[in-house]
């Protein structure tokens, strides 16, 4: 078996400093990411609201067209009835 090499306090301090630097960078990026995510969520919510408004407009239009078709169907049925009576 080999014996482990002794770890010098300089090596430990350098490793800890490196980890601290990495954590600071992660925290710094996380702050920017949170703001960016917040902006992105707001944009998504705005897009969703616009799409919902557009869907409602299209729904109203579809209902109107269906009613118009029903009216035309009634006229066609009446014309068929009148034609069959002649």
């Amino acid at each position: 078996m080999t014996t482990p090499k002794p770890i010098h306090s300089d090596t430990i301090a350098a490793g800890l400093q490196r980890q601290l630097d990495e954590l600071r960078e992660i925290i710094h990026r996380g702050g920017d990411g949170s703001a960016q995510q917040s902006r992105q969520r707001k944009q998504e919510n705005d897009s969703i609201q616009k799409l919902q408004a557009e869907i409602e407009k299209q729904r109203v239009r579809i209902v109107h067209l269906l009613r118009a078709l029903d009216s035309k169907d009634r006229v066609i049925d009446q014309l068929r009835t009148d034609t069959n009576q002649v």
Side-chain angles (χ1 to χ4, degrees):
M1 274 203 297
T2 60
T3 57
K5 295 181 182 178
I7 300 174
H8 299 293
S9 61
D10 293 342
T11 305
I12 293 173
L16 289 174
Q17 186 61 47
R18 195 170 42 251
Q19 288 179 347
L20 281 173
D21 292 341
E22 289 175 10
L23 285 173
R24 284 187 184 118
E25 184 178 336
I26 289 169
I27 290 170
H28 178 71
R29 276 189 272 144
D32 292 344
S34 295
Q36 183 178 1
Q37 286 177 351
S38 179
R39 283 190 302 271
Q40 186 176 4
R41 274 192 223 111
K42 184 182 182 321
Q43 289 174 342
E44 289 171 353
N45 287 338
D46 290 346
S47 294
I48 288 170
Q49 288 176 349
K50 288 177 184 175
L51 289 171
Q52 286 174 335
E54 184 62 29
I55 287 169
E56 181 59 22
K57 288 178 191 175
Q58 294 300 323
R59 188 191 69 76
V60 168
R61 185 166 184 234
I62 289 169
V63 167
H64 173 74
L65 291 171
L66 288 173
R67 287 181 182 155
L69 280 173
D70 285 344
S71 174
K72 298 297 179 188
D73 283 345
R74 285 192 295 274
V75 169
I76 290 170
D77 287 343
Q78 185 62 40
L79 289 172
R80 284 185 183 150
T81 303
D82 292 346
T83 303
N84 288 339
Q85 290 178 355
V86 173

